[in-house]
């Protein structure tokens, strides 16, 4: 599940059938969004992600984890014409004052700081439609140029490999620059959800349903949205709205099958022992979204928003929480407990700051983007420091079998390698220690693959792909020689 939640930037333009005050017997009128130009607004933003993988992990400490962040972002509507607005966001990774718990429990802030460094910006200027929904971004060329410089001057001055995760992100941004907005200021999209470009009228307690299709990896998934005007505060001049969204289970399950197949490959031994009912459950997926919004009856702007997105797939559950409050207005929505808890079960995630001149790949986060539920254990380690990388010793792995076949997901040829039990255990420990780093795999002293270690490999199975079948057959023959071994190391 890679960035599925934010693919709505390319296909989601929901003109809210909200409503409009002026009170009347028929309902309440909510004005179209008409923000003051040239006025800077500050927003306090809190986020959290809860991951539950207890279906796959026996160890309680490895089966569930929570990561959270707290930010103070600033937004100014620079200008407005008859069909669009120019909006500037000033971004910061600093933790606001007065947050619950220890600063160490806000790991998203550390990741976000590295993202700002890697993207090379602390401000974004957007063109939006009249409800504030982003539709264009200024300075994309400069951001991409900075990221290419990052790729050319990776950790230790070693350029990132062409197949590295950083190059994938650059290519993805060039195809859809609004992904930068999704990564750095997803608040813009959530706030726009509660804003209409024109006056709208609703009755309190009356639900209004709409539908649309979202694209998930080439699969069209119907999504049903239900809006309700929950209440009006005449004194504060605000309206509270709720939005409930459900993706079609069958279509969404279909869209997630490649990700589910990869997850099952990572837990191959456990997957082989699943019952028919368990296997059917693992192959099902669902996605839901619940939003509450407080909207001004003076200018139609969203003053506060609370969002919960839940994705289940492959026996895992990922739930993300976001709360946004404009600082000059009092809060009225209840905060989820995860955002205020003093003690959380957090991963042991060590994050080194990226130096601005040598921002290294591999740590770019996509905040508020429900990713595929991580398969990492609590021993996750992320660092960019080259000395720390060198501390992870190379491992020599003995091969039990090596066969060329077709990938069950892409149907491309791949070299399927099975390690001996002893080497499988060694490789498992290596992949856990090297999470977040680029590694190298060598056969006969030749580098054959340079993968980024995104998840631990628990079952001692490796698949080499991305090259032609003849080369794969040659490597298979080399690995069938008695005593054949593979060297795996962190990329120097």
């Amino acid at each position: 599940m890679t960035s599925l939640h934010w693919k709505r930037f390319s296909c989601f333009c929901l003109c809210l059938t909200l409503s409009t005050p002026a009170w009347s017997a028929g309902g309440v009128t909510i004005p179209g969004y008409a923000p003051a130009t040239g006025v800077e607004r500050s927003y306090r933003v809190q986020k959290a992600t809860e991951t539950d993988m207890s279906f796959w992990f026996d160890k309680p400490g490895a089966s569930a984890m929570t990561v959270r962040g707290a930010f103070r972002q600033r937004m100014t509507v620079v200008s407005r014409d008859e069909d669009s607005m120019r909006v500037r966001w000033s971004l910061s990774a600093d933790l606001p004052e007065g947050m619950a718990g220890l600063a160490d429990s806000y790991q998203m802030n550390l990741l976000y700081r590295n993202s700002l460094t890697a993207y090379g910006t602390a401000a974004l200027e957007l063109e939006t439609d009249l409800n504030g929904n982003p539709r264009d971004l200024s300075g994309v060329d400069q951001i991409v140029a900075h990221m290419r410089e990052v790729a050319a001057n990776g950790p230790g001055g070693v350029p990132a490999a062409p197949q590295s995760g950083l190059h994938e992100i650059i290519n993805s941004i060039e195809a859809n620059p609004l992904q930068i907005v999704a990564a750095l200021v997803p608040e813009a999209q959530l706030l726009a959800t509660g804003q209409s470009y024109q006056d709208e009228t609703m009755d309190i307690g009356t639900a209004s349903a709409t539908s649309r299709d979202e694209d998930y990896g080439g699969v069209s998934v119907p999504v049903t949205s239900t809006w309700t005007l929950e209440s009006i505060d005449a004194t504060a001049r605000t309206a509270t709205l709720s939005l409930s969204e459900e993706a079609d289970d069958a279509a969404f399950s279909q869209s997630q099958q490649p990700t589910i197949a990869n997850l099952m490959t990572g837990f191959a031994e456990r997957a082989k022992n699943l019952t028919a009912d368990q296997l059917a459950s693992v192959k099902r997926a669902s996605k839901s979204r619940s939003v509450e919004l407080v909207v001004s009856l003076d200018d139609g702007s969203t003053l506060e928003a609370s969002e919960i997105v839940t994705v289940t797939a492959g026996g895992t559950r990922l739930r993300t929480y976001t709360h946004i409050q404009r600082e000059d207005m009092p809060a009225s929505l209840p905060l989820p407990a995860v955002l205020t808890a003093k003690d959380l079960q957090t991963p042991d995630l060590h994050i080194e700051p990226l130096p601005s001149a040598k921002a290294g790949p591999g740590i770019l986060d996509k905040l508020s983007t429900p990713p595929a539920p991580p398969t990492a254990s609590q021993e996750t380690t992320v660092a960019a420091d080259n000395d720390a990388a060198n501390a992870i010793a190379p491992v020599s792995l003995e091969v039990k079998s090596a066969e060329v076949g077709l990938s069950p997901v892409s149907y491309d040829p791949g070299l399927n390698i099975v390690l001996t039990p002893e080497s499988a255990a060694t490789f498992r420990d290596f992949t856990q220690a090297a999470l977040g780093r680029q590694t190298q795999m060598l056969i006969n002293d030749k580098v054959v693959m340079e993968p980024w270690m995104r998840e631990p490999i628990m079952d001692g199975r490796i698949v080499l792909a991305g090259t032609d079948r003849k080369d794969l057959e040659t490597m298979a023959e080399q690995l069938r020689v008695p005593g054949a071994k593979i060297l795996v190391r962190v990329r120097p």
Side-chain angles (χ1 to χ4, degrees):
M1 288 173 285
T2 55
S3 304
L4 300 179
H5 177 63
W6 289 105
K7 286 189 178 178
R8 64 176 176 231
F9 272 110
S10 60
C11 65
F12 173 53
C13 182
L14 178 62
C15 295
L16 305 181
T17 47
L18 301 180
S19 312
T20 11
W23 279 258
S24 69
V28 178
T29 297
I30 300 176
Y33 182 43
T37 58
V39 178
E40 185 177 77
R41 304 293 189 186
S42 294
Y43 294 86
R44 183 166 288 216
V45 183
Q46 293 177 259
K47 307 169 185 280
T49 301
E50 291 180 330
T51 305
D52 183 352
M53 297 194 66
S54 53
F55 182 89
W56 298 103
F57 283 106
D58 293 325
K59 239 168 111 183
S63 65
M65 64 180 71
T66 302
V67 180
R68 67 179 174 183
F71 309 89
R72 186 174 181 266
Q73 315 292 36
R74 294 170 292 154
M75 183 269 282
T76 304
V77 178
V78 179
S79 64
R80 172 180 174 141
D81 58 31
E82 60 187 16
D83 66 356
S84 66
M85 295 188 297
R86 178 69 57 177
V87 178
R88 181 183 298 119
W89 282 89
S90 298
L91 310 175
S92 172
D94 294 341
L95 188 67
E97 295 181 2
M99 303 311 302
L102 300 174
D104 288 348
S105 70
Y106 291 90
Q107 295 165 329
M108 281 186 182
N109 289 69
L110 304 176
L111 289 167
Y112 190 62
R113 187 182 305 280
N114 281 348
S115 286
L116 294 177
T117 300
Y119 282 90
T121 184
L124 292 180
E125 189 159 308
L126 319 175
E127 179 185 308
T128 77
D129 58 25
L130 293 181
N131 72 334
N133 189 59
R135 66 184 190 186
D136 199 5
L137 175 66
S138 299
V140 174
D141 291 344
Q142 291 91 331
I143 292 174
V144 170
H146 182 273
M147 297 182 75
R148 291 198 183 282
E149 184 179 350
V150 168
N153 298 280
V158 179
Q163 68 271 30
S164 74
L166 182 56
H167 285 287
E168 292 177 6
I169 293 174
I170 293 172
N171 294 337
S172 179
I173 287 173
E174 289 183 320
N176 179 14
L178 286 179
Q179 290 188 15
I180 298 172
V181 182
L184 296 184
V185 59
E187 297 81 15
Q189 178 71 32
L190 181 53
L191 292 172
T193 300
Q195 297 165 172
S196 176
Y197 70 95
Q198 63 182 3
D199 292 357
E200 302 287 353
T201 300
M202 294 179 75
D203 293 325
I204 295 176
T206 301
S208 174
T210 60
S211 62
R212 68 182 186 279
D213 289 339
E214 290 188 357
D215 179 76
Y216 290 83
V219 178
S220 182
V221 178
V223 178
T224 301
S225 303
T226 303
W227 282 95
T228 306
L229 175 60
E230 300 291 347
S231 63
I232 295 290
D233 187 326
T235 302
R237 292 194 54 77
T238 60
T240 299
L241 305 162
S242 67
L243 167 64
S244 175
E245 291 190 336
E246 296 285 342
D248 180 80
D249 283 351
F252 188 69
S253 295
Q254 178 187 352
S255 74
Q256 299 308 300
Q257 292 312 301
T259 299
I260 293 171
N262 287 337
L263 183 65
M264 292 179 66
T265 298
F267 293 91
E269 291 301 317
R270 195 174 185 99
K272 285 192 298 187
N273 297 319
L274 297 178
T275 66
D277 287 344
Q278 287 174 323
L279 184 59
S281 176
V282 164
K283 291 187 175 182
R284 286 195 293 268
S286 65
K287 178 183 175 184
S288 63
R289 179 181 180 225
S290 175
V291 185
E292 286 187 286
L293 300 144
V294 178
V295 179
S296 168
L297 297 182
D298 293 322
D299 65 3
S301 61
T302 300
L303 306 177
E304 189 177 2
S306 181
E307 177 189 60
I308 301 175
V309 179
T310 304
V311 177
T312 61
T316 68
R317 185 186 71 194
L318 177 73
R319 181 168 288 159
T320 63
Y321 303 83
T322 304
H323 180 268
I324 305 173
Q325 176 196 345
R326 209 172 83 180
E327 286 192 330
D328 62 329
M329 302 298 294
S332 60
L333 300 177
L335 268 69
V338 67
L339 298 179
T340 58
K342 290 188 176 182
D343 297 311
L344 289 175
Q345 184 176 351
T346 59
D348 182 15
L349 189 62
H350 178 65
I351 304 164
E352 291 288 344
L354 297 181
S356 57
K358 295 183 179 180
I363 307 180
L364 296 180
D365 60 307
K366 296 182 179 181
L367 299 178
S368 292
T369 305
T375 55
S377 73
Q378 285 292 88
E379 291 77 28
T380 301
T381 301
V382 178
D385 184 83
N386 201 48
D387 292 337
N390 291 335
I392 302 175
V395 292
S396 180
L397 307 173
E398 189 172 349
V399 176
K400 180 180 179 181
S401 65
E403 300 292 338
V404 176
L406 292 180
S407 164
V409 176
S410 65
Y411 299 100
D412 294 327
L415 175 56
N416 301 299
I417 302 169
V418 179
L419 303 176
T420 64
E422 296 80 5
S423 289
T426 299
F427 191 46
R428 177 200 63 210
D429 295 340
F430 174 87
T431 59
Q432 288 178 335
L435 281 171
R437 302 191 186 286
Q438 189 177 16
T439 62
Q440 289 182 330
M441 187 171 296
L442 293 81
I443 298 176
N444 290 345
D445 297 326
K446 178 183 178 182
V447 176
V448 297
M449 188 166 62
E450 293 188 314
W452 288 88
M453 199 56 61
R454 304 299 188 193
E455 57 188 20
I457 298 176
M458 315 296 287
D459 62 351
R461 296 174 183 268
I462 304 170
V463 178
L464 299 183
T467 187
D468 62 43
R469 191 180 186 98
K470 183 178 179 181
D471 289 341
L472 295 174
E473 293 284 6
T474 299
M475 286 188 280
E477 291 178 8
Q478 294 172 339
L479 294 176
R480 292 191 192 110
V481 175
K485 293 186 177 182
I486 298 172
L487 178 69
V488 182
R489 66 191 182 194
V490 172
R491 186 182 179 202

